[in-house]
Amino acid sequence: MSVHKYIDKVMKSTMQSTPGQTEFYQAVEEVLVTLEPILKAEPKYDQQNILERIVIPERQIIFRVTWMDDAGKIQTNIGYRVQFNSAIGPYKGGLRFHPSVNLGIVKFLGFEQIFKNSLTGLPIGGGKGGSNFDPKGKSDGEIMRFCQSFMLELSKYIGETRDVPAGDIGVGGREIGYMFGEYKRLTGNFEGILTGKGLNWGGSLARTEATGFGSVYFAENILNKQKDSLEGKIAAVSGSGNVAIYTIQKLYDMGAKAVTCSDSRGMIYDKNGIDLDTLKLIKETRRDSLEEYVLIRKNATYLPVHSYPEGTNAVWGVPCDVAFPSATQNELNLADMKNLHKNGCKLVCEGANMPTTPDAIEYMLANKMMFGPAKAANAGGVATSQLEMSQNASMSKWSFADVDSKLRTIMKSIFDLSYDTSKEFGDEGNIMMGANIAGFRKVADSMIDQGAV
Ligand code: GLU
């Protein structure tokens, strides 16, 4: 069968057997299409039905989560854990708490996680989970009761050598703490079954910063290859969670300046550079809306989502040299990419998972803009999670500088591997293709080694 037909066949059967999972199809298609050169060179993957196998999770767990709100009413949510692929290590990947979460979203994230984790060079398989629970507006007590109930069920399926969840959108240190406490209460064991833990009880220094720092290190690697650097660059950044905050911080360290950030309600444009202390105060301490930012930084502007120019995300409408989408999936579309290009942006580096739509990626590559694809560029978070697992297993604690330098080395090796693989398969510099092929090859070969898995 021609490679084209093979990919087509797997795409069709995926859509038939799992109706309505749009984001999952998008993630699968992006990977399969870029695998063409390796599928052509290595017929074994077709012969061994690797694509058919890799698009089906090893296990999907869906459960009811019931919890009592502050008014004494029982509320219900749906919980998910998709254990996608364990060919190279225990399942690893975050938990997302957001009203948009459904099986298709968890599967897209879990599928991407397989290749991302493989690219880190560390022994971690791919998984993802979460719930349609909306943490917004909930009291601390409600968050705790939800997390406890969620863990009551999840605890049956995780373990240090089995599946190690972490945070993602809506799940940070507070939620990990409540879930860890509940797991310990249920099992009596103090074990590294989650990453992103508090620093007093098994967490790793630099884990909070890792995804953002890693994304900036990755961008620096791309620019260095072009004999350029981040020094003096203006950056547009979306989001205001962990990834965005520590992207902005590291950009300053590298001599660049971030001028935007956003949340679900609006965006900030601060020409003089986003003030980190103000941003951290609003988002990390007060858990408030970004609207508050302009009360403190009077020269900045706030634009609510309903005033964004039709069909665009205003974050991508400002003059900039580099862009770091660090909020959520499909937040940067074709119109946004055209705006970025017109405004002089040369590089898009993805801190979020699948933030750029396929047509926008196509436009970016056709216009010779540089691209740091999510699976490579944001792998620093999960890589540092694995460093946390290592510290837990050896009962040791490394310094911030130690973890940060390991992270920097890992990001460089992800870049080198992606670059070298793009060259090996005849499209030098196509980092998206190189990353997908390199991530795939290790997992697929391990599956072949292990027989009918
Ligand atoms: N949710 C993060 C990601 O998308 C981190 C996962 C982890 O640390 O396990 O990679």
Side-chain angles (χ1 to χ4, degrees):
M1 194 186 322
S2 81
V3 164
H4 237 76
K5 277 203 182 123
Y6 182 35
I7 293 173
D8 226 49
K9 185 185 116 192
V10 175
M11 253 347 279
K12 281 211 180 89
S13 74
T14 302
M15 290 165 87
Q16 249 161 29
S17 59
T18 59
Q21 299 181 350
T22 326
E23 288 83 1
F24 177 55
Y25 310 151
Q26 186 185 332
V28 172
E29 186 159 22
E30 188 224 275
V31 171
L32 297 197
V33 169
T34 55
L35 293 181
E36 261 196 63
I38 193 171
L39 296 174
K40 269 194 192 129
E42 300 274 8
K44 66 178 174 183
Y45 299 123
D46 183 354
Q47 283 154 13
Q48 300 260 2
N49 278 353
I50 285 293
L51 294 191
E52 288 86 339
R53 289 195 260 161
I54 215 164
V55 297
I56 301 177
E58 290 174 17
R59 194 171 299 102
Q60 313 184 60
I61 302 139
I62 305 181
F63 48 97
R64 185 176 67 183
V65 187
T66 47
W67 54 281
M68 194 183 278
D69 68 17
D70 286 346
K73 214 165 165 209
I74 308 285
Q75 299 291 344
T76 54
N77 286 100
I78 312 288
Y80 303 89
R81 186 69 185 166
V82 172
Q83 299 180 329
F84 224 120
N85 193 299
S86 62
I88 62 168
Y91 310 106
K92 182 86 199 84
L95 299 169
R96 176 176 292 191
F97 293 169
H98 191 269
S100 65
V101 167
N102 57 43
L103 185 58
I105 296 276
V106 179
K107 280 181 67 185
F108 116 63
L109 291 162
F111 185 72
E112 300 237 301
Q113 204 82 44
I114 303 171
F115 307 98
K116 183 198 305 196
N117 293 4
S118 165
L119 270 178
T120 64
L122 302 166
I124 37 179
K128 203 87 186 191
S131 174
N132 61 350
F133 174 74
D134 187 0
K136 208 172 286 161
K138 301 288 190 299
S139 72
D140 217 53
E142 289 175 325
I143 299 273
M144 182 177 75
R145 290 191 294 278
F146 174 81
C147 288
Q148 290 172 334
S149 182
F150 185 85
M151 181 50 87
L152 184 66
E153 191 59 29
L154 185 70
S155 62
K156 298 169 189 166
Y157 310 100
I158 61 176
E160 267 174 337
T161 56
R162 195 176 185 191
D163 184 358
V164 185
D168 195 83
I169 295 171
V171 178
R174 173 179 58 165
E175 292 74 18
I176 294 290
Y178 294 149
M179 287 190 275
F180 185 80
E182 181 67 6
Y183 180 89
K184 197 156 48 71
R185 212 152 61 129
L186 286 164
T187 64
N189 296 326
F190 194 108
E191 299 168 322
I193 43 87
L194 292 168
T195 59
K197 297 187 290 298
L199 296 178
N200 292 325
W201 41 277
S204 174
L205 284 157
R207 173 61 189 92
T208 310
E209 293 83 355
T211 314
F213 280 18
S215 168
V216 175
Y217 293 147
F218 197 82
E220 183 74 352
N221 276 294
I222 299 178
L223 289 166
N224 286 170
K225 195 81 186 174
Q226 310 298 320
K227 311 247 171 301
D228 198 353
S229 79
L230 281 164
E231 177 82 42
K233 298 280 190 291
I234 302 294
V237 178
S238 64
S240 50
N242 249 358
V243 184
I245 290 175
Y246 294 98
T247 293
I248 294 171
Q249 182 165 321
K250 187 48 74 177
L251 281 166
Y252 282 122
D253 289 350
M254 307 290 258
K257 183 168 78 178
V259 292
T260 61
C261 61
S262 63
D263 64 13
S264 58
R265 288 181 226 161
M267 62 87 78
I268 294 290
Y269 181 43
D270 193 340
K271 242 200 203 138
N272 303 319
I274 295 292
D275 185 62
L276 259 179
D277 290 340
T278 306
L279 179 60
K280 285 184 182 178
L281 174 75
I282 294 168
K283 286 298 172 184
E284 291 184 337
T285 314
R286 295 193 193 154
R287 297 177 192 272
D288 222 332
S289 160
L290 268 185
E291 220 171 330
E292 303 292 308
Y293 185 96
V294 287
L295 301 178
I296 302 171
R297 296 270 292 182
K298 302 257 185 320
N299 290 327
T301 48
Y302 175 76
L303 197 64
V305 169
H306 60 79
S307 337
Y308 289 4
E310 172 108 27
T312 71
N313 181 344
V315 170
W316 314 125
V318 307
C320 64
D321 307 302
V322 289
F324 288 81
S326 310
T328 194
Q329 66 271 4
N330 294 328
E331 56 163 318
L332 198 169
N333 64 23
L334 180 60
D336 297 321
M337 191 61 82
K338 287 182 175 168
N339 276 338
L340 283 171
H341 185 240
K342 192 178 68 203
N343 282 330
C345 178
K346 300 270 183 307
L347 162 70
V348 176
C349 191
E350 297 183 321
N353 291 312
M354 206 168 75
T356 315
T357 58
D359 50 355
I361 294 179
E362 209 174 298
Y363 183 88
M364 164 173 49
L365 298 179
N367 285 280
K368 305 268 173 273
M369 291 164 75
M370 291 174 267
F371 184 34
K375 291 184 209 77
N378 78 27
V382 75
T384 307
S385 274
Q386 201 279 343
L387 301 180
E388 182 172 329
M389 290 163 71
S390 288
Q391 291 168 77
N392 293 163
S394 59
M395 292 198 158
S396 52
K397 183 137 183 119
W398 306 338
S399 70
F400 190 98
D402 223 8
V403 179
D404 187 35
S405 108
K406 285 188 167 72
L407 167 66
R408 208 168 177 150
T409 307
I410 291 169
M411 296 317 294
K412 164 104 172 71
S413 74
I414 295 174
F415 176 77
D416 289 344
L417 176 64
S418 305
Y419 193 93
D420 294 347
T421 309
S422 74
K423 197 168 165 189
E424 179 186 345
F425 287 93
D427 194 359
E428 185 169 349
N430 184 341
I431 302 296
M432 174 170 73
M433 184 198 91
N436 286 347
I437 292 182
F440 168 81
R441 175 152 55 184
K442 189 171 147 194
V443 173
D445 289 351
S446 304
M447 288 170 74
I448 292 172
D449 290 346
Q450 292 169 29
V453 295

